[in-house]
Amino acid sequence: MSNLEALSSQQTVELFKQYVIPNYGRYAVNLVRGEGSWIWDAEGNRYLDLFPGWGCNLIGHCPPRVVQAVQKQVETLVHVPNSWHMQQQGEWAKLLSDRSFGGQAFFCNSGAEANEAAIKLARLHHGPQRYKIITFEGGFHGRSLATTTATAQPKYHEGLGPLVAGFLYAPHGDLNAVKELIDDETCAIMIEPVQGEGGVRIPPASYLKGLRELADQHDLLLIFDEVQTGCGRTGKWFGYQYFDVTPDVITLAKSLCGGVAAGAMMTTAEIAPSLRPGMHAATFGGNPIAAAAGIATIETIEEEGLLENVVSLSEFFKSRFEELKTQCQWIREIRTAGMMVGVELDVDGTPVVQKCLERNLLINCTQGNVIRLLPAMNLSMEQAEQGCDVICEVLSALQP
Ligand SMILES: *Cc1c(COP(=O)(O)O)cnc(C)c1O
């Protein structure tokens, strides 16, 4: 930015109108600086961010250890291809392996890419006769063509056909429906332990256990898309530990590197060789900067005791919104899994986001009627209270 003139929010909006493809709905705000759960716009307004980085900034904006690690790395080595070894990538894989079910990592740059890797792995693992993958209504797996197809939400498919063959959709929460979809061409079941974009939908642990049993009976890979639930989000390192159901594959991205772009797929050492040399790659995957940031992210979470923080913060959000629910009949249900908070309304939730923005609070609404928060795990209790006060006032004032 050093030789650029600082633009106002309005000027930046104009710049986008001319030069940036308008495939996102964007607020007319130019964000310029962040620190923890605070973020500032070009006009100097400060916002409390309860949806930092769309889930990527789980340890807040500009986490100091990550900033330092990236600064140091960027001066030493920015990029080398995966035709070489680099210590950082190996160390990072070990840290992730030690905190999950053991096994090995493939690194990439996003959640969609991590899921693409898992899809390819499942097909390669079971050979050409078995290619079908069961996914779940309301799920979200990314925007590449295969992961869009895996995403069982018709609104994301419109106009994109023909989609990738071999995906079958089960209603979320119905084990029998999954059983009926399995045949001798099925190779995997892929599910988010908690549906994020689908509205913070939390299945009972017995359901995920049932999927584990089905996968075992039929020799299927059980893939957990942990792009949103992974890396400490639920108060456990990975969402599967929150439910105590171990999958064969997990995919990670979003908060994996404290806000730096990265993705990963992890699987057991027995399954990993199925992704044999030459069959998959990501040029930037596991690059030294991402690796340095990923290592610093894990260190931050452990040295600052942030997994423990999640438990008390989560209980705070839950109790505040449950209390509000007793006064507002338009609040249907409160759902929390660690730092995933969903408040389902009987009415349209989009005006709530706008009203909170006007009061310098950033939140999200998904599926039209679910107010969603993905707060940072190092949010202070004072910030949590401040944010809840605003949301509760806005929600109480809704006139359905
Ligand atoms: C965000 C998300 C993705 C897609 O991640 P990208 O980095 O945008 O490709 C996939 N799965 C889940 C569960 C997500 O929340």
Side-chain angles (χ1 to χ4, degrees):
M1 286 291 283
S2 55
N3 52 2
L4 290 182
E5 190 191 335
L7 298 183
S8 70
S9 288
Q10 192 47 48
Q11 288 169 316
T12 308
V13 169
E14 293 304 323
L15 194 62
F16 270 61
K17 269 188 192 148
Q18 272 202 27
Y19 298 109
V20 180
I21 293 178
N23 61 312
Y24 299 99
R26 295 178 191 264
Y27 299 102
V29 178
N30 174 21
L31 296 174
V32 295
R33 184 168 78 84
E35 192 182 316
S37 290
W38 298 115
I39 192 153
W40 286 263
D41 68 17
E43 283 66 39
N45 300 305
R46 186 180 78 166
Y47 303 82
L48 179 62
D49 195 352
L50 294 188
F51 198 67
W54 209 275
C56 297
N57 298 317
L58 180 56
I59 55 173
H61 293 282
C62 298
R65 273 189 186 77
V66 174
V67 171
Q68 281 159 26
V70 168
Q71 279 172 341
K72 196 164 157 237
Q73 186 58 50
V74 94
E75 288 169 1
T76 322
L77 190 65
V78 170
H79 181 68
V80 283
N82 280 302
S83 43
W84 303 87
H85 289 84
M86 56 198 113
Q87 181 177 337
Q88 300 91 325
Q89 189 184 118
E91 303 272 10
W92 185 24
K94 178 179 191 307
L95 292 174
L96 290 170
S97 178
D98 289 347
R99 280 150 192 77
S100 59
F101 46 70
Q104 300 179 332
F106 162 80
F107 292 106
C108 51
N109 310 288
S110 70
E113 274 182 84
N115 287 330
E116 284 277 346
I119 291 165
K120 278 186 161 182
L121 172 71
R123 287 188 172 184
L124 288 169
H125 187 65
H126 282 305
Q129 266 34 272
R130 294 176 60 187
Y131 63 96
K132 292 181 186 166
I133 298 175
I134 297 169
T135 65
F136 295 84
E137 288 171 8
F140 185 83
H141 299 294
R143 302 299 200 139
S144 67
L145 203 50
T147 58
T148 292
T149 310
T151 297
Q153 299 194 55
K155 65 179 179 190
Y156 292 129
H157 298 168
E158 270 168 40
L160 290 178
L163 298 173
V164 176
F167 288 90
L168 291 95
Y169 308 139
H172 193 227
D174 184 347
L175 265 186
N176 267 327
V178 179
K179 206 179 288 179
E180 277 165 23
L181 288 175
I182 297 172
D183 63 22
D184 51 16
E185 293 175 332
T186 312
C187 66
I189 297 171
M190 180 155 116
I191 189 168
E192 299 160 82
V194 175
Q195 287 188 344
E197 195 269 351
V200 192
R201 307 225 168 250
I202 308 165
S206 60
Y207 180 62
L208 296 175
K209 287 200 172 84
L211 293 179
R212 177 70 272 178
E213 281 162 20
L214 281 178
D216 289 341
Q217 281 161 17
H218 298 272
D219 184 29
L220 313 175
L221 290 192
L222 182 61
I223 302 167
F224 278 7
D225 177 347
E226 296 237 25
V227 170
Q228 200 163 134
T229 55
C231 309
R233 175 65 65 189
T234 62
K236 301 283 185 188
W237 270 113
F238 302 99
Y240 80 83
Q241 294 157 339
Y242 183 85
F243 292 99
D244 198 19
V245 177
T246 308
D248 303 298
V249 179
I250 54 175
T251 57
L252 307 170
K254 291 214 163 86
S255 65
L256 179 60
C257 293
V260 173
M265 176 191 69
M266 314 271 314
T267 191
T268 64
E270 292 72 46
I271 297 167
S274 292
L275 203 67
R276 54 184 194 271
M279 287 312 290
H280 198 53
T283 302
F284 274 121
N287 66 76
I289 295 174
I295 292 168
T297 299
I298 292 171
E299 286 171 358
T300 300
I301 291 172
E302 288 186 345
E303 283 166 30
E304 298 182 11
L306 297 182
L307 291 173
E308 294 74 30
N309 244 22
V310 167
V311 180
S312 47
L313 277 169
S314 188
E315 274 166 14
F316 174 80
F317 281 108
K318 190 171 178 64
S319 67
R320 275 300 300 268
F321 293 135
E322 286 290 357
E323 187 192 319
L324 181 73
K325 181 171 176 279
T326 63
Q327 298 149 32
C328 301
Q329 70 273 30
W330 50 91
I331 296 180
R332 194 183 294 166
E333 193 178 40
I334 315 299
R335 296 188 287 270
T336 57
M339 294 289 84
M340 299 176 87
V341 180
V343 180
E344 184 168 333
L345 308 177
D346 278 325
V347 295
D348 180 18
T350 35
V352 177
V353 179
Q354 188 58 37
K355 291 208 172 78
C356 286
L357 175 61
E358 284 160 21
R359 299 190 52 179
N360 291 23
L361 178 71
L362 309 187
I363 63 164
N364 172 255
C365 173
T366 187
Q367 300 293 324
N369 69 333
V370 181
I371 301 304
R372 177 168 58 145
L373 313 179
L374 291 173
M377 64 205 297
N378 53 6
L379 185 77
S380 71
M381 210 37 107
E382 200 186 347
Q383 288 170 321
E385 275 174 28
Q386 193 181 326
C388 282
D389 286 348
V390 173
I391 297 170
C392 288
E393 280 175 39
V394 170
L395 282 177
S396 311
L398 269 188
Q399 289 302 335

